[in-house]
PDB file of all heavy atoms in Angstrom:
ATOM      1  N   VAL H   8      -3.613  11.048  -2.629  1.00  0.00           N
ATOM      2  CA  VAL H   8      -4.577  11.086  -3.742  1.00  0.00           C
ATOM      3  C   VAL H   8      -6.005  11.178  -3.206  1.00  0.00           C
ATOM      4  O   VAL H   8      -6.804  12.008  -3.647  1.00  0.00           O
ATOM      5  CB  VAL H   8      -4.424   9.844  -4.648  1.00  0.00           C
ATOM      6  CG1 VAL H   8      -5.558   9.779  -5.665  1.00  0.00           C
ATOM      7  CG2 VAL H   8      -3.086   9.865  -5.378  1.00  0.00           C
ATOM      8  N   VAL H  26     -17.332  32.311  -4.560  1.00  0.00           N
ATOM      9  CA  VAL H  26     -17.253  33.125  -5.783  1.00  0.00           C
ATOM     10  C   VAL H  26     -18.610  33.034  -6.483  1.00  0.00           C
ATOM     11  O   VAL H  26     -18.797  32.219  -7.382  1.00  0.00           O
ATOM     12  CB  VAL H  26     -16.131  32.632  -6.729  1.00  0.00           C
ATOM     13  CG1 VAL H  26     -15.919  33.638  -7.872  1.00  0.00           C
ATOM     14  CG2 VAL H  26     -14.841  32.385  -5.983  1.00  0.00           C
ATOM     15  N   GLY H  67      20.486  17.288 -10.125  1.00  0.00           N
ATOM     16  CA  GLY H  67      20.242  15.918 -10.554  1.00  0.00           C
ATOM     17  C   GLY H  67      18.948  15.761 -11.320  1.00  0.00           C
ATOM     18  O   GLY H  67      18.775  14.804 -12.074  1.00  0.00           O
ATOM     19  N   ALA H  85       0.793  13.433  -6.611  1.00  0.00           N
ATOM     20  CA  ALA H  85      -0.332  12.717  -6.017  1.00  0.00           C
ATOM     21  C   ALA H  85      -1.548  13.633  -5.864  1.00  0.00           C
ATOM     22  O   ALA H  85      -2.690  13.222  -6.113  1.00  0.00           O
ATOM     23  CB  ALA H  85       0.060  12.134  -4.659  1.00  0.00           C
ATOM     24  N   SER H 144      -2.446  26.619 -18.061  1.00  0.00           N
ATOM     25  CA  SER H 144      -3.835  26.324 -17.683  1.00  0.00           C
ATOM     26  C   SER H 144      -4.449  27.444 -16.852  1.00  0.00           C
ATOM     27  O   SER H 144      -5.660  27.668 -16.896  1.00  0.00           O
ATOM     28  CB  SER H 144      -3.902  25.002 -16.906  1.00  0.00           C
ATOM     29  OG  SER H 144      -3.572  23.920 -17.738  1.00  0.00           O
ATOM     30  N   ILE H 152     -13.490  31.776 -17.515  1.00  0.00           N
ATOM     31  CA  ILE H 152     -14.224  32.569 -16.522  1.00  0.00           C
ATOM     32  C   ILE H 152     -14.689  33.888 -17.129  1.00  0.00           C
ATOM     33  O   ILE H 152     -15.836  34.314 -16.937  1.00  0.00           O
ATOM     34  CB  ILE H 152     -13.343  32.806 -15.276  1.00  0.00           C
ATOM     35  CG1 ILE H 152     -13.166  31.498 -14.495  1.00  0.00           C
ATOM     36  CG2 ILE H 152     -13.950  33.888 -14.374  1.00  0.00           C
ATOM     37  CD1 ILE H 152     -12.107  31.558 -13.417  1.00  0.00           C
ATOM     38  N   THR H 161     -13.389  43.175 -23.480  1.00  0.00           N
ATOM     39  CA  THR H 161     -12.709  43.991 -22.480  1.00  0.00           C
ATOM     40  C   THR H 161     -11.203  43.897 -22.674  1.00  0.00           C
ATOM     41  O   THR H 161     -10.688  42.938 -23.279  1.00  0.00           O
ATOM     42  CB  THR H 161     -13.047  43.520 -21.047  1.00  0.00           C
ATOM     43  OG1 THR H 161     -12.587  42.164 -20.884  1.00  0.00           O
ATOM     44  CG2 THR H 161     -14.549  43.577 -20.789  1.00  0.00           C
ATOM     45  N   ARG H 165      -8.576  40.635 -23.629  1.00  0.00           N
ATOM     46  CA  ARG H 165      -7.594  40.720 -24.706  1.00  0.00           C
ATOM     47  C   ARG H 165      -6.190  40.470 -24.182  1.00  0.00           C
ATOM     48  O   ARG H 165      -5.398  39.738 -24.806  1.00  0.00           O
ATOM     49  CB  ARG H 165      -7.678  42.113 -25.353  1.00  0.00           C
ATOM     50  CG  ARG H 165      -6.828  42.260 -26.609  1.00  0.00           C
ATOM     51  CD  ARG H 165      -7.312  41.335 -27.690  1.00  0.00           C
ATOM     52  NE  ARG H 165      -6.501  41.451 -28.898  1.00  0.00           N
ATOM     53  CZ  ARG H 165      -6.564  40.615 -29.916  1.00  0.00           C
ATOM     54  NH1 ARG H 165      -7.376  39.578 -29.868  1.00  0.00           N
ATOM     55  NH2 ARG H 165      -5.814  40.796 -30.983  1.00  0.00           N
ATOM     56  N   VAL H 177       4.915  28.130 -25.083  1.00  0.00           N
ATOM     57  CA  VAL H 177       6.103  27.844 -24.271  1.00  0.00           C
ATOM     58  C   VAL H 177       5.882  26.645 -23.359  1.00  0.00           C
ATOM     59  O   VAL H 177       6.713  25.721 -23.305  1.00  0.00           O
ATOM     60  CB  VAL H 177       6.499  29.085 -23.441  1.00  0.00           C
ATOM     61  CG1 VAL H 177       7.633  28.745 -22.464  1.00  0.00           C
ATOM     62  CG2 VAL H 177       6.920  30.219 -24.356  1.00  0.00           C
TER      63      VAL H 177
END
Side-chain angles (χ1 to χ4, degrees):
V8 171
V26 190
S144 293
I152 289 169
T161 62
R165 188 64 181 169
V177 173

